[in-house]
Amino acid sequence: MSRLFGSVRSRATLGATLVVAVALVAAGAAVLLSLRANLTGEAGTRAERSAQAVASELAARIPLDKLSGLDAEDVPVQIVDEDGVLLAASEDLERISGTGTAEVTPAPTRSGADDDRDREDDDRDDDSGRSGDDESLEPGEIAQGASYTNGTATIDGDTEDYRFAAVEVETPDRGRLTVHAGSPLAAEHSAVGTALTAMLIGFPLLLGVVAGVTWLVTGRALRPVEGIRREMAAITASEDLRRRVPEPATHDEIARLARTTNATLAALEASVERQRSFVADASHELRSPIASLRTQLEVAAAHPELLDLDGAVEDTVRLQNLAGDLLLLARLDAGERPVGTRVDLAALAREEAAGREGVTVEAEPVEVSGSRGQLGRVLANLLDNAERHARERITVTVRREGGEAVVSVADDGEGVAEADRERIFERFVRLDAARSRDDGGAGLGLAIARDVAVRHGGTLTAGAAPAGGALFELRLPLAGADRGAPRA
């Protein structure tokens, strides 16, 4: 079962079919109940009219054997007195139920003297002021409204269901009588049965149409998704991140999914290319000090008197620093978040500037939240870069500006051309004036500084200093401020 409905298409079809089926069953039941109620009400109205006609004849003192209502076909009629004794019934009535009086044969007719005595007794009772139901109706008056019941009647051997109406009439000679008249429910049963049959035939066909249309529409809607899936599978198999999934010419969710997928593939391609370039550049940068150190050690092994110990130590230190930079970049690329401790940038700037010649620090106490070690690395890299290019003077300024802490490092060197002010933050990039490995480093200092700034929710930009040299400006959110998402 899970495999049968394992696709979105099949589940959508099943869900739509079930919803429509429930709605159809509810609507069908409501229609059948309403149809049955209406037809039953019409049958009751017809039965009441028949009972009212017989009651009118009784009120007009027409004898029981002269009542025209007892001769109507397919209309069973019973007339009973207050004691429930059957006085008259339809001529062809053989069996009846539902009226409260199952008898179909009237009681023996009493003599006229008995009738006269009954009328005299009734007159005496009336003269004595007897209270009861007789006071509610005047002689010859018919009760308003009727009571209804369902039952069966057998007429000329045919048994059918009937809707019976009971109407009371106050006769001048026989007292309170009740007329029961019925109307057949065959039309109601036939109409309800026909409607039910039509529903039992039509509903499955309609559900089949709904399922088929849903299956086709869902398949058409999901066709681009299948195309995206196939292309993603092909990209995964070929490892060619230059390929892109097809984007449907629509403005729906699937089109947005395709565009987002392509944007993800583009970002992944850029990341992989950046990683490959990083590995290639790192290999190139590591090869030179390793080769130099190996050459010196091989020469020292053959001729100990020619060992350049200072050069070997320098190459080893350079190799160690480069490995540390590469490890830090790897951690930053892995999404390492800084530890949220308070750092006083003014104290940190003075600490990093200590021991450096020509460095002036102008700082006010400003606290930010982050890693003291990483922020110290940013200041150290900026000061190292300034020392390589400054002529005489380097100025470090720490100030508060709105909700940010601003650290500026300015030198009086030649500055950075406007076209290179973004490129210098790329990894392993050294400008022509600083391509010396001894003076310019490996080209990772500024890249590390910007990555650390971004991880702390800040920015690092390059500009022109008032003295004509380079100006590097680090902006970080103050401690306790909402850092939000890292800014690019």
Side-chain angles (χ1 to χ4, degrees), residues 1 73 142 226 252 259 261 265 273 332 346 402 423 455 458:
M1 183 63 69
E73 296 182 356
I142 302 173
E226 179 61 21
D252 54 10
R259 289 192 290 270
T261 302
L265 289 173
E273 290 298 327
L332 294 176
R423 194 167 69 89
R455 290 296 181 273

Side-chain angles (χ1 to χ4, degrees), residues 120-332:
E120 292 175 359
D121 292 340
D122 292 340
D123 293 340
R124 284 195 298 270
D125 291 340
D126 292 339
D127 293 340
S128 63
R130 184 188 62 178
S131 62
D133 294 337
D134 293 341
E135 295 180 354
S136 60
L137 292 176
E138 297 294 332
E141 186 178 357
I142 302 173
Q144 297 295 325
S147 59
Y148 300 95
T149 57
N150 290 336
T152 61
T154 303
I155 301 176
D156 288 338
D158 295 331
T159 301
E160 294 185 8
D161 293 331
Y162 282 84
R163 179 72 167 173
F164 292 102
V167 176
E168 293 184 349
V169 58
E170 186 72 25
T171 62
D173 53 351
R174 298 181 181 275
R176 180 71 59 86
L177 301 181
T178 302
V179 180
H180 297 277
S183 177
L185 294 176
E188 181 262 345
H189 292 333
S190 177
V192 172
T194 301
L196 180 59
T197 302
M199 290 179 183
L200 292 178
I201 296 176
F203 282 5
L205 295 178
L206 181 58
L207 290 177
V209 172
V210 171
V213 172
T214 304
W215 180 265
L216 294 177
V217 172
T218 307
R220 183 178 181 85
L222 294 177
R223 191 176 303 160
V225 177
E226 179 61 21
I228 294 173
R229 187 203 64 78
R230 284 198 302 267
E231 186 63 25
M232 287 296 294
I235 292 173
T236 303
S238 64
E239 299 182 358
D240 184 5
L241 296 179
R242 293 174 297 178
R243 300 174 61 172
R244 297 292 182 266
V245 300
E247 295 185 11
T250 58
H251 301 283
D252 54 10
E253 293 81 356
I254 297 178
R256 292 196 293 271
L257 172 64
R259 289 192 290 270
T260 303
T261 302
N262 285 334
T264 302
L265 289 173
L268 182 60
E269 180 187 8
S271 177
V272 171
E273 290 298 327
R274 186 168 59 250
Q275 188 68 21
R276 290 173 180 172
S277 176
F278 176 77
V279 172
D281 291 338
S283 300
H284 178 74
E285 294 294 335
L286 288 171
R287 182 171 55 188
S288 297
I290 291 176
S292 175
L293 182 61
R294 178 180 177 180
T295 300
Q296 294 182 57
L297 293 177
E298 288 178 347
V299 170
H303 306 282
E305 68 279 3
L306 298 179
L307 174 63
D308 184 4
L309 186 59
D310 293 337
V313 172
E314 183 178 348
D315 286 339
T316 302
V317 171
R318 181 183 172 199
L319 185 61
Q320 181 181 4
N321 292 336
L322 181 57
D325 290 344
L326 294 176
L327 289 175
L328 178 57
L329 284 173
R331 291 199 305 270
L332 294 176

